[in-house]
Amino acid sequence: MNPASLKPLAEARAQVLEAMTPMALVDVPIEDALHRVTAVPVIASEPVPPFANSAMDGFAVRHADAAEVPVILDVIEDVPAGHVPKLRVGPGQATRIMTGAPTPEGADAIVPVEDTVSLDGARVQIDAAPAVDAHVRIAGGDVAIGDVVVDAGIRLTARHLASIASTGGSVAVAQPPVVAIMSTGDEVVPPATPRLELGMIRDTNRALLASLLDELRIPVVDLGIIGDDLGSLRAAYQQAAADADLIVSTGGVSMGDYDFVKQVLGETGSVEFWRVAMQPAKPFAFGSVAGVPLFGLPGNPVSTFVAFEQFVRPAILHAMGAEKLLRPRIRGTMGEDIATSPDKDVFLRVLLAEDDGAFVAVRSGGQGSNVLSALASAEAFAVIPVGVGDVSAGEPVTLEMFRWDENRTQHDE
Ligand code: AMP
Ligand code: MG
């Protein structure tokens, strides 16, 4: 093979991202915002906490009154959370206060209940001298008016949503694109088929794609399995273009195989067939049907996954304005000798072990682009960039984490 005829992955991805149209912005209630991408920075229009309040159950005092302890103060009022103090704390006085209740005027410190002795309800003995502002949560101490609560381009997590909720009930995010998926191939039958005829295989790709899209909370239109004939393909593409913002089909893009795709897209759209310098997932078709972007992924399931991760997922996230387009990449060590093609970015499916705090990668099983079992058990890609080829055990390697195994113990506990 002539490496010069291969398109570098970075170039292919840049071209794909360039072709994406940014999605429209919508204001959504926080209940609907998980995994959405912030379109603009979330700016606080009010302080959090909204008022100075107590961080402890205890007594609000003037710290100067309790500089020497023990000291006995008069309890003038009881303030539970959600209630407002009516009295100002004067010399020799204290207010019983619960966590989250507004601090009364005059007081400048909270003495935790553990450091006090209640004498008769009306008086309290303070046993520990508080510092100024002890256990007082000041207004705006978490977020001040005008602070950026969450930057633009962030895919929202539970933690972000809690922070946004502290300042209001909605957030501006990008509308997620509707994605149409289909598997192509005369040999492909639904996974639930009771008995396979000779030559038939169960469709793995739609289960994979639908789930990967669901992880991103992307609405999916599933167009099913499309036979290798012009009429079916034409109808499916037209349907997809009518129903979706982006089309992902698998199969029918290998050499000698893509005549149907080419012919159909010649009528209603455009397509380029690329040979990307990557392994797996070298063949890749990218084009549009009636203005809707089309991703023609290779049919082999592992190739489908790699191409989804390297092209489709970044494209969707980019269209939603996300800053981070690839899964997290970390440094690790190769745990075995491997030989790969130096002409390509190679994505090995690996499992990680830990050795003295370093991640050590070994292949999770067979590396054929049809071997789903080794993909299922893998945690990461070991990414071997163009120009490298062979890697020996002990050499550094980039790991692209598509899963953090919750069963792995990071440290001895
Ligand atoms: P293709 O890209 O259509 O040439 O297909 C490449 C290989 O992937 C062939 O062995 C196909 O049978 C297989 N394949 C294609 N589509 C699927 C699918 N949806 N599920 C499982 N295997 C598939
Ligand atoms: Mg096929």
Side-chain angles (χ1 to χ4, degrees):
M1 175 194 324
N2 171 15
S5 67
L6 295 176
K7 195 178 186 73
L9 170 56
E11 186 184 311
R13 182 158 50 223
Q15 206 170 325
V16 166
L17 297 183
E18 177 81 7
M20 291 298 120
T21 310
M23 299 303 297
L25 309 191
V26 279
D27 232 20
V28 296
I30 45 179
E31 293 78 16
D32 300 333
L34 187 62
H35 292 287
R36 295 278 172 262
V37 177
T38 47
V40 290
V42 180
I43 307 287
S45 58
E46 58 183 46
V48 184
F51 50 88
N53 67 93
S54 177
M56 301 288 279
D57 292 340
F59 291 85
V61 303
R62 298 150 49 99
H63 87 282
D65 286 357
E68 312 232 316
V69 290
V71 63
I72 294 174
L73 303 175
D74 293 330
V75 179
I76 56 168
E77 182 175 32
D78 243 341
V79 187
H83 294 255
V84 179
K86 295 185 186 67
L87 303 176
R88 183 184 174 85
V89 176
Q93 296 180 330
T95 288
R96 183 178 289 110
I97 192 166
M98 297 297 134
T99 306
T103 50
E105 282 192 34
D108 62 4
I110 307 292
V111 180
V113 71
E114 302 84 294
D115 295 334
T116 68
V117 180
S118 202
L119 295 180
D120 52 14
R123 292 180 312 150
V124 63
Q125 177 178 309
I126 307 291
D127 288 333
V132 189
D133 293 336
H135 306 299
V136 175
R137 302 191 284 215
I138 61 166
D142 179 357
V143 174
I145 293 178
D147 275 0
V148 175
V149 181
V150 179
D151 282 318
I154 301 293
R155 196 148 65 92
L156 293 169
T157 66
R159 293 166 290 107
H160 293 118
L161 291 179
S163 188
I164 292 170
S166 75
T167 68
S170 67
V171 56
V173 296
Q175 187 89 43
V178 175
V179 177
I181 61 172
M182 68 187 87
S183 294
T184 72
D186 281 343
E187 78 283 27
V188 181
V189 297
T193 304
R195 224 188 102 258
L196 288 182
E197 303 290 337
L198 181 62
M200 300 295 135
I201 53 159
R202 298 181 197 275
D203 179 10
T204 60
N205 294 351
R206 279 180 309 136
L208 179 68
L209 292 174
S211 308
L212 287 165
L213 291 164
D214 193 44
E215 252 181 43
L216 293 169
R217 301 299 194 278
I218 295 297
V220 170
V221 175
D222 186 347
L223 293 170
I225 299 165
I226 311 301
D228 288 317
D229 64 273
L230 271 183
S232 306
L233 203 58
R234 185 183 291 125
Y237 279 165
Q238 279 167 355
Q239 183 72 48
D243 291 349
D245 300 304
L246 201 148
I247 305 167
V248 181
S249 68
T250 73
V253 297
S254 323
M255 281 289 202
D257 198 13
Y258 53 61
D259 289 352
F260 290 129
V261 178
K262 203 175 207 165
Q263 192 169 333
V264 171
L265 288 171
E267 299 163 5
T268 53
S270 64
V271 69
E272 285 185 54
F273 291 89
W274 296 344
R275 295 170 67 239
V276 182
M278 67 193 287
Q279 190 185 344
K282 179 172 49 123
F284 173 54
F286 183 62
S288 66
V289 186
V292 177
L294 166 95
F295 293 73
L297 310 188
N300 271 309
V302 179
S303 305
T304 295
F305 179 66
V306 175
F308 182 91
E309 292 290 301
Q310 299 305 315
F311 293 116
V312 183
R313 192 174 181 279
I316 289 172
L317 289 171
H318 180 69
M320 295 194 297
E323 280 296 316
K324 185 121 186 41
L325 303 182
L326 291 177
R327 307 251 191 194
R329 286 187 169 197
I330 62 172
R331 295 297 284 167
T333 305
M334 205 63 217
E336 57 186 349
D337 294 344
I338 46 134
T340 70
S341 163
D343 299 338
K344 299 173 191 153
D345 286 329
V346 179
F347 293 84
L348 300 172
R349 282 74 69 201
V350 297
L351 275 169
L352 306 184
E354 269 203 77
D355 182 25
D356 228 358
F359 289 110
V360 180
V362 291
R363 285 167 293 185
S364 58
Q367 297 290 307
S369 55
N370 61 321
V371 182
L372 277 165
S373 54
L375 178 63
S377 61
E379 300 173 81
F381 292 130
V383 187
I384 319 293
V386 169
V388 173
D390 298 350
V391 180
S392 306
E395 287 187 351
V397 70
T398 297
L399 302 170
E400 188 173 303
M401 302 300 302
F402 47 73
R403 163 183 164 212
W404 288 97
D405 190 343
E406 50 277 353
N407 296 315
R408 194 192 316 102
T409 307
Q410 298 273 5
H411 301 286
D412 293 336
E413 280 154 25

